[in-house]
Amino acid sequence: MSTSAGHGAAVRIAACGKTFADGTRALEPATLDIDRGETLVLLGPSGCGKTTMLRIIAGLELPDTGGKVLFDGKDMTSVPIERRNVGMVFQSYALFPNMSVSDNIGYGLKIRGVPNEERAARVAELVALTNISGLENRRIDQLSGGQRQRVALARAVAIRPGILLLDEPLTALDAALRDRLRGELNRLLRALGITTIYVTHDQSEAMELGDRIVVMQKGTIAQIGSPREIYFAPKNRFVAEFIGAANIIEAPIEGGQLVLPGGRQPIGGDATVSAAVAMIRPETIRVVEAGSAPLSGLIDSVSFIGDRQRMVVSGVSGKLLTVDAPNAVVAKAGERVGLLISPDAVRLLPPES
Amino acid sequence: MSHKFFVWLCLLPLAVVTVAFFLLPMARLVVTGAEGPQGLAGYLAILTEPRYRATLINTVMLAAATTIVTLIVATIAGMFLQRHRFPGRAVLIAMLTFPLAFPGVVVGFLIILLAGRQGLIGDLSSRLFGERLVFAYSIYGLFLGYLYFSIPRVILTIMAAVQKLDVGLEEAARSLGASPWAVQRDVVMPALAPAFVASGAIAFATAMGAFGTAFTLATNIDVLPMLIYTEFTLAANFSTSAALSVGLGIITWFILAIARSFSGSAVAAAG
């Protein structure tokens, strides 16, 4: 395809909230800017408002009064979905059962009155792009889950939308296929270079696909940032625990050090506070000889996963501490080990959460 | 006792009932139809005899019109009732199913009350235009009665089908640029096709064979069941009424088979 990076429309959501007819607040008024060509992931547990936000952008839901949706600076709030030129992939794929694969892909073009020849050429292009050659004349009920997902994507992209909206497109697939298709989807989105908004509850999907991630919690935006920022510098405990594994430790601070039952741990940054909630990622903890590190504890259990091993260490902080050690480290349950943590790896979180 | 034998044994009551109450009377009916003065040609008379042929055409047209109008009204109403929540909805749906319990005689009575000589429509039109509008005793009255009879049945089937409709399909079509009309044409109607065939078949068969309403309205409406009745009881013409009965059954069955095969692809696709 003759596409280059920086395609499609820039999106601005201004003070968009959503209260349903029965009074439930699905989304607190939120403001969000999405750059042209960017892939933005809305991430959060079910009921956090991510799908509501996607549907507001799509034009399937109206925001509460005062909310505005702008595409390239143009107010689209009252424009219905059929005139927003958005491509959408649904969790259920929503493929038309009364049409063949190629009729599904070409439907948006047919509606737009694109001549037969041009339409056939575009459909062929997308069939090749999404690797579904040979399935053009199949009925939808003759396709596997992965094939349906590709057809749904091809159909959404066929109309050259300004914005591509994906609502949990991989959730309906089994784990192995999901991993494979995630990589494929990532390459495809990069190749298309179109503004993409992707809703998921799966943090690894969000990490791999997103230029930026919006973590949502109970109808509010908890944090917006690149995958690295979200992972290494979570703004609160919810984000820290939702993304990856995290040890959350509440402890007093003395002289720039966390005071723990298993020893003292130096911390970076603002050390003037007297107590803190700290987050330490399991893979930032190094297992060393007992006595050669300021912290030490007793190994409770070791699970060998293959590429690494997960240890649970007791006696360091009030709670059990999770440690991801390289697979070469030899350690058994019951042994005493030292734990070495770089001060930069200790992230202080606001205490309220 | 082998397993197979046991299965056959269990099927025995079904076989007995089928033979006694279905096959034997049907066979007798077919034979009777050929026992008239013309023999087997008695069957041909349904098509060649002008009065019979006109009645046959009348009946099929009436049944077809009833089916089409019922489907249109019931689809719009069923879709609205399934998709909208409003105060009084449950009561309205319950009231819609009320006519299900009425026999044809009562339906005919209601039509006379509405469009008969003392009917509401007649009163109204005589007051407005000075002329009494009476159509209860004609084929139009019968048409109205059949509509009244069929709509509740069809609405319930359509509502069930609409409930199973994936809203995502409509949203997907809209996201691809389809106008509300195009969504109905390309997505909703094909998905409802099996329900149309199933409920339309019932409406059609009912309108072809219903007797009570026609009998209540007048004895001289030219529809097949009335013709069979007059041939049978008034003219004591057993063979002709048997031939007409067989003809009525075959024609209804044949038209339903065509409708089913016509929508076959849609039914399979909606799988």
Side-chain angles (χ1 to χ4, degrees):
Chain A
M1 276 179 77
S2 57
T3 45
S4 56
H7 247 67
V11 179
R12 180 175 171 79
I13 303 155
C16 280
K18 181 71 195 176
T19 313
F20 285 113
D22 62 356
T24 346
R25 208 25 143 24
L27 189 65
E28 299 292 329
T31 296
L32 188 61
D33 279 293
I34 303 148
D35 291 338
R36 189 182 301 252
E38 181 185 26
T39 299
L40 184 92
V41 177
L42 302 176
L43 173 68
S46 60
C48 71
K50 57 190 191 302
T51 296
T52 304
M53 189 182 274
L54 188 81
R55 290 174 66 84
I56 288 175
I57 299 169
L60 290 169
E61 303 278 2
L62 269 176
D64 293 343
T65 325
K68 271 194 163 71
V69 177
L70 299 105
F71 291 178
D72 279 337
K74 251 188 10 216
D75 189 348
M76 304 294 273
T77 317
S78 55
V79 176
I81 181 168
E82 52 265 36
R83 284 191 277 124
R84 286 196 184 188
N85 197 34
V86 293
M88 195 155 180
V89 176
F90 294 81
Q91 188 174 346
S92 65
Y93 308 139
L95 297 172
F96 307 129
N98 51 319
M99 299 180 201
S100 69
V101 166
S102 52
D103 286 348
N104 261 282
I105 299 174
Y107 183 75
L109 303 171
K110 192 174 161 194
I111 286 289
R112 283 165 171 71
V114 174
N116 281 344
E117 255 173 63
E118 198 182 326
R119 196 165 79 217
R122 177 74 178 151
V123 169
E125 196 181 342
L126 284 158
V127 163
L129 188 75
T130 50
N131 272 321
I132 47 173
S133 305
L135 303 177
E136 292 92 329
N137 296 318
R138 290 264 185 99
R139 282 208 321 262
I140 298 309
D141 57 9
Q142 297 170 316
L143 301 181
S144 71
Q147 289 166 340
R148 287 177 199 212
Q149 199 272 330
R150 289 164 212 235
V151 175
L153 186 67
R155 183 180 68 177
V157 172
I159 57 171
R160 300 185 199 277
I163 301 152
L164 186 59
L165 304 169
L166 302 112
D167 187 5
E168 308 238 10
L170 301 178
T171 304
L173 305 169
D174 60 69
L177 188 61
R178 193 157 61 222
D179 282 354
R180 196 153 57 80
L181 281 183
R182 190 201 298 158
E184 211 172 278
L185 192 59
N186 193 19
R187 278 191 297 282
L188 199 67
L189 292 182
R190 303 291 146 196
L192 293 170
I194 175 183
T195 311
T196 303
I197 299 161
Y198 189 107
V199 163
T200 184
H201 66 270
D202 180 331
Q203 43 114 353
S204 48
E205 236 169 85
M207 291 281 172
E208 181 164 351
L209 295 169
D211 293 321
R212 277 193 306 158
I213 297 173
V214 176
V215 185
M216 298 187 64
Q217 175 194 16
K218 290 182 192 154
T220 60
I221 294 176
Q223 188 171 359
I224 306 175
S226 69
R228 274 170 197 284
E229 285 165 356
I230 299 275
Y231 187 80
F232 289 117
K235 275 201 178 137
N236 61 31
R237 185 166 179 165
F238 170 79
V239 177
E241 289 185 316
F242 192 73
I243 312 286
N247 294 298
I248 307 288
I249 297 165
E250 288 173 59
I253 293 174
E254 269 176 29
Q257 292 182 320
L258 285 175
V259 182
L260 297 169
R264 286 176 170 241
Q265 169 61 41
I267 55 173
D270 176 24
T272 56
V273 284
S274 61
V277 178
M279 180 209 69
I280 304 164
R281 295 283 182 199
E283 72 280 7
T284 58
I285 305 173
R286 273 182 61 205
V287 178
V288 294
E289 292 284 319
S292 63
L295 285 179
S296 72
L298 222 54
I299 298 180
D300 218 59
S301 67
V302 179
S303 336
F304 185 76
I305 297 167
D307 57 343
R308 66 203 147 90
Q309 51 193 338
R310 175 153 289 187
M311 297 177 189
V312 177
V313 181
S314 63
V316 181
S317 67
K319 286 182 287 184
L320 295 172
L321 196 73
T322 305
V323 178
D324 279 352
N327 52 12
V329 173
V330 179
K332 280 200 294 282
E335 275 181 58
R336 176 158 284 277
V337 286
L339 299 174
L340 208 56
I341 306 167
S342 143
D344 298 335
V346 181
R347 170 88 194 163
L348 297 190
L349 303 172
E352 43 70 41
S353 53
Chain B
M1 193 162 58
S2 77
H3 178 70
K4 218 173 182 179
F5 180 73
F6 180 71
V7 171
W8 283 114
L9 200 69
C10 290
L11 285 175
L12 195 65
L14 176 68
V16 169
V17 169
T18 308
V19 171
F21 297 107
F22 183 70
L23 287 182
L24 286 180
M26 279 300 283
R28 185 76 195 122
L29 194 67
V30 172
V31 172
T32 309
E35 275 174 349
Q38 298 159 293
L40 266 176
Y43 280 106
L44 267 182
I46 304 174
L47 297 173
T48 52
E49 164 85 30
R51 187 163 76 95
Y52 296 163
R53 191 173 59 215
T55 306
L56 174 65
I57 292 172
N58 249 347
T59 312
V60 172
M61 297 286 274
L62 176 65
T66 305
T67 309
I68 291 168
V69 175
T70 301
L71 281 178
I72 293 171
V73 172
T75 304
I76 296 170
M79 205 110 122
F80 179 83
L81 286 173
Q82 190 59 51
R83 288 279 167 88
H84 294 81
R85 295 287 176 271
F86 50 88
R89 176 179 174 272
V91 177
L92 188 61
I93 292 174
M95 273 171 58
L96 274 173
T97 57
F98 197 61
L100 286 176
F102 288 158
V105 180
V106 178
V107 174
F109 184 46
L110 289 173
I111 297 301
I112 291 175
L113 287 180
L114 185 72
R117 274 171 217 105
Q118 315 296 327
L120 186 68
I121 293 179
D123 282 350
L124 223 72
S125 66
S126 78
R127 223 166 273 173
L128 286 176
F129 312 110
E131 203 173 323
R132 194 159 262 282
L133 193 61
V134 174
F135 59 88
Y137 315 104
S138 68
I139 200 141
Y140 301 105
L142 195 55
F143 171 69
L144 204 65
Y146 286 171
L147 272 189
Y148 184 73
F149 204 67
S150 301
I151 286 176
R153 289 152 219 272
V154 176
I155 278 191
L156 292 181
T157 313
I158 301 276
M159 279 177 68
V162 170
Q163 190 177 22
K164 277 193 268 172
L165 219 64
D166 179 4
V167 182
L169 286 179
E170 291 167 57
E171 293 179 347
R174 290 182 61 200
S175 77
L176 293 166
S179 66
W181 280 114
V183 173
Q184 296 297 318
R185 184 191 64 211
D186 298 333
V187 177
V188 177
M189 291 301 134
L192 293 181
F196 290 154
V197 173
S199 58
I202 291 174
F204 184 80
T206 311
M208 280 294 283
F211 173 72
T213 313
F215 189 71
T216 313
L217 292 179
T219 44
N220 61 352
I221 294 178
D222 286 332
V223 290
L224 264 183
M226 284 301 292
L227 184 61
I228 294 170
Y229 174 78
T230 46
E231 289 292 328
F232 183 65
T233 57
L234 303 181
N237 193 347
F238 281 22
S239 64
T240 305
S241 53
L244 287 170
S245 303
V246 173
L248 174 67
I250 289 178
I251 290 160
T252 308
W253 175 83
F254 182 68
I255 291 176
L256 293 184
I258 290 177
R260 209 167 287 146
S261 71
F262 187 68
S263 67
S265 53
V267 177

